[in-house]
Amino acid sequence: MAEQVLDRIKQVVGPNGWLEEPRDIEPYEVETRGLYHGKTALVVRPGSTEEVATVVRLCAEAGLPIVPQGGNTGLCGGGVPDEDGRNIVLALGRMNKVRSIDPANFTITVEAGVILADIQRIAAEHDRLFPLSLGAEGSCQIGGNLSTNAGGVQVLRYGNTRELTLGLEVVLPDGRIWNGLRTLRKDNTGYDLKQLFVGAEGTLGIITAATLRLYPKPRATATAFVALPDTDAVMSLFAQARAATGDQLTAFELIPRIGLEMAMKHVNGVVDPLEQPYETYALIEVSTASPHGDVGATLEGLLAEAFEAGTVVDGTIAASGAQRDAFWLIREGMVEGQRFEGGSIKHDIAVPVASVAEFLKTATAAVTERLPGIRPVAFGHCGDGNIHFNLSQPAGADKDTFLARWEEFNDIVHGIVAGLNGSISAEHGIGRLKCQELTHYKAPIELELMARVKQALDPKHIMNPGKVVAEAAFNALKG
Ligand code: FAD
């Protein structure tokens, strides 16, 4: 039966639309950090929405589970199949057309497989900004960004992917196509259905296209790399930055010394912009689309005020585009650098902005007490309350022994997050990695509502099973 269905799927997508040789499908089976290595009999690469719809209908009829996959840069194992080999992978990379761009309406309509950096580039060619920006932007796809509700470095100014979405086209789990590609900013005609699919991580349907918001392209940008006296100063500086820059604050990234050192050690071209070492840094960026705004003066004013208040003890403003790139290379290089320092237990958490400093202190003390020598690398988009609280293994420790304690450290860190009314997943999603854990942190009524939505849209559970909504959540629907 399954063999026959797979043959029919191959006919639907044609010879360029599927892969089954082990060496060809392996990249689709492995999660980007190597945490999961699943198995699939077939990778389908449809070239159109109609092909996606037919493939999904065939799978629904046969009860074959589907894992949608974009650029496979997701960090929660949502985009890779599980180990039993029954899932087929539906990769959207061939659906990479820009269907239309309307600069006057500040919208662009793209297929799901368009690479994020390409959308940014095409928007810029039309004197517009698509503000979603993250380290994986050269390989992640907009369908994956939508499905994970990706955040990135400019959320505090422009919002996350959810807020950048005006309309969607989705293939539903029974193979029907919902064309919700609206370009409206105002549309109060009942439930906002598109928002169900944003952040659903492929569990409710396959996003095949989206209409996205564009913004005026910034005319001027100013970027500073500053040292702070301690982590207590982080959010005071953030408050000052907001007050001094109005709506021009675009990024506010926390960078710890240990992260800078890891980046300098392992990533080409990363240098410390300051002469003295400090424990805590922030990368601050302001920008304006107005031809009259002087963001350089605004940033200088902010730093003068911060020096006087003692929230900044050293710092420098980028004097050129190259220097700005060098500051951002530190931010991105920290992620890369950690990979060379042995095992790293990751946490992508959010707490209310007012609790960021408390979280940093409490969580650092708790993990250090549990394992002396552990190396917390706490960094990220803390202007929106999001901290990547990654724990590098003690220098010289055994990697596997350390990684075996993943759940133990999750419990410690996520317990503190829950106590501060935070979230155990700020921007990476749930996928497989946090599926079970979510059942401890979501209220039973929320889990039940999630299970009801899933059950209503995908009663056969063929869309990315085992991700986001744990099987246990469906128990509440029985009886
Ligand atoms: P994939 O990894 O392929 O898939 C992710 C999930 O979406 C899976 O559950 C998959 O099944 C589902 N999916 C994919 N496409 C579709 C579709 N068309 N329809 C339905 N479901 C679909 N994330 C952030 O939010 N902010 C960051 O700053 C950030 N920085 C990163 C930096 C690096 C170096 C890396 C490696 C990752 C980073 N990420 C970040 C995580 C990742 O890039 C994002 O989650 C991204 O949105 C995933 O896109 P993708 O195309 O790779 O999706």
Side-chain angles (χ1 to χ4, degrees):
M1 168 68 172
E3 279 291 312
Q4 284 171 5
V5 181
L6 296 187
D7 285 343
R8 287 181 67 192
I9 289 172
K10 289 178 194 170
Q11 282 165 11
V12 169
V13 293
N16 295 329
W18 55 273
L19 303 166
E20 64 178 0
E21 288 301 319
R23 70 168 183 281
D24 294 334
I25 60 179
E26 219 225 332
Y28 296 84
E29 296 176 323
V30 186
E31 185 260 354
T32 183
R33 295 194 292 224
L35 286 181
Y36 301 108
H37 194 151
K39 267 172 56 186
T40 184
L42 187 69
V43 173
V44 197
R45 303 178 69 240
S48 68
T49 303
E50 290 68 29
E51 286 183 10
V52 174
T54 310
V55 170
V56 173
R57 185 173 50 74
L58 289 170
C59 290
E61 285 166 7
L64 262 189
I66 303 169
V67 181
Q69 191 178 99
N72 197 13
T73 67
L75 298 173
C76 293
V80 290
D82 62 20
E83 289 77 15
D84 72 9
R86 282 194 70 239
N87 299 189
I88 69 158
V89 172
L90 196 151
L92 279 298
R94 281 179 69 222
M95 290 192 58
N96 57 3
K97 292 186 202 66
V98 174
R99 290 195 185 163
S100 62
I101 178 160
D102 183 349
N105 194 35
F106 287 77
T107 56
I108 187 168
T109 299
V110 293
E111 292 184 343
V114 181
I115 303 279
L116 173 56
D118 289 336
I119 303 178
Q120 297 166 345
R121 178 180 50 75
I122 291 160
E125 284 166 7
H126 289 79
D127 200 30
R128 296 290 177 264
L129 170 76
F130 182 58
L132 183 65
S133 175
L134 45 108
E137 63 197 22
S139 46
C140 62
Q141 299 171 8
I142 192 66
N145 303 143
L146 288 154
S147 301
T148 55
N149 185 25
V153 294
Q154 304 201 96
V155 169
L156 68 96
R157 173 92 171 262
Y158 300 101
N160 47 25
T161 310
R162 190 180 292 290
E163 286 153 279
L164 301 173
T165 309
L166 291 174
L168 289 185
E169 178 187 83
V170 178
V171 171
L172 301 173
D174 59 7
R176 284 180 299 161
I177 300 169
W178 172 51
N179 184 340
L181 287 175
R182 304 205 173 89
T183 56
L184 306 171
R185 263 118 181 131
K186 288 190 158 185
D187 178 17
N188 281 353
T189 52
Y191 302 143
D192 191 353
L193 296 175
K194 65 180 180 294
Q195 295 299 358
L196 273 181
F197 300 96
V198 178
E201 300 179 56
T203 60
L204 299 179
I206 295 181
I207 296 173
T208 46
T211 299
L212 306 163
R213 266 177 215 271
L214 300 178
Y215 285 82
K217 191 166 134 187
R219 306 265 166 249
T221 299
T223 311
F225 185 86
V226 299
L228 285 71
D230 50 39
T231 48
D232 274 338
V234 173
M235 295 330 278
S236 316
L237 176 62
F238 176 63
Q240 278 174 321
R242 281 231 122 151
T245 63
D247 63 356
Q248 295 180 338
L249 187 63
T250 317
F252 189 95
E253 297 284 315
L254 174 69
I255 296 176
R257 178 75 200 172
I258 186 171
L260 172 59
E261 280 173 359
M262 287 178 178
M264 287 196 293
K265 191 163 157 198
H266 301 294
V267 180
N268 266 346
V270 175
V271 287
D272 185 347
L274 306 178
E275 281 171 16
Q276 308 277 327
Y278 300 92
E279 277 309 298
T280 307
Y281 305 95
L283 195 166
I284 306 173
E285 190 155 282
V286 289
S287 65
T288 180
S290 161
H292 310 297
D294 185 350
V295 282
T298 307
L299 192 57
E300 276 169 25
L302 164 66
L303 293 198
E305 202 182 295
F307 271 113
E308 197 162 319
T311 46
V312 161
V313 288
D314 199 353
T316 175
I317 294 179
S320 63
Q323 211 178 356
R324 173 186 180 240
D325 292 348
F327 292 175
W328 278 105
L329 186 64
I330 299 171
R331 167 65 183 82
E332 303 307 344
M334 265 190 314
V335 179
E336 182 65 8
Q338 284 167 67
R339 293 189 349 169
F340 297 92
E341 292 285 330
S344 174
I345 297 175
K346 317 277 187 191
H347 305 92
D348 161 41
I349 66 94
V351 291
V353 166
S355 303
V356 166
E358 184 181 349
F359 167 78
L360 289 170
K361 271 197 287 194
T362 316
T364 302
V367 298
T368 312
E369 188 185 345
R370 181 62 62 92
L371 181 60
I374 198 169
R375 294 173 295 166
V377 187
F379 67 100
H381 327 296
C382 74
D384 51 41
N386 181 187
I387 304 288
H388 297 307
F389 192 71
N390 292 350
L391 304 174
S392 281
Q393 65 177 59
D398 177 64
K399 181 176 173 180
D400 291 338
T401 313
F402 177 69
L403 289 180
R405 299 179 71 176
W406 192 296
E407 280 181 27
E408 179 188 343
F409 282 100
N410 270 194
D411 285 349
I412 297 173
V413 174
H414 291 164
I416 294 167
V417 168
L420 293 169
N421 292 320
S423 166
I424 64 163
S425 180
E427 59 175 13
H428 294 162
I430 296 299
R432 185 168 159 187
L433 185 69
K434 297 180 184 170
C435 185
Q436 287 308 323
E437 212 183 344
L438 192 68
T439 61
H440 301 298
Y441 292 102
K442 279 254 181 225
I445 193 163
E446 285 178 290
L447 290 169
E448 182 188 324
L449 286 172
M450 284 172 64
R452 281 195 191 282
V453 171
K454 168 80 177 169
Q455 188 71 24
L457 270 76
D458 180 21
K460 293 185 177 170
H461 294 201
I462 64 157
M463 289 305 312
N464 219 356
K467 318 283 170 58
V468 184
V469 191
E471 273 309 308
F474 295 99
N475 292 338
L477 311 190
K478 295 179 188 147

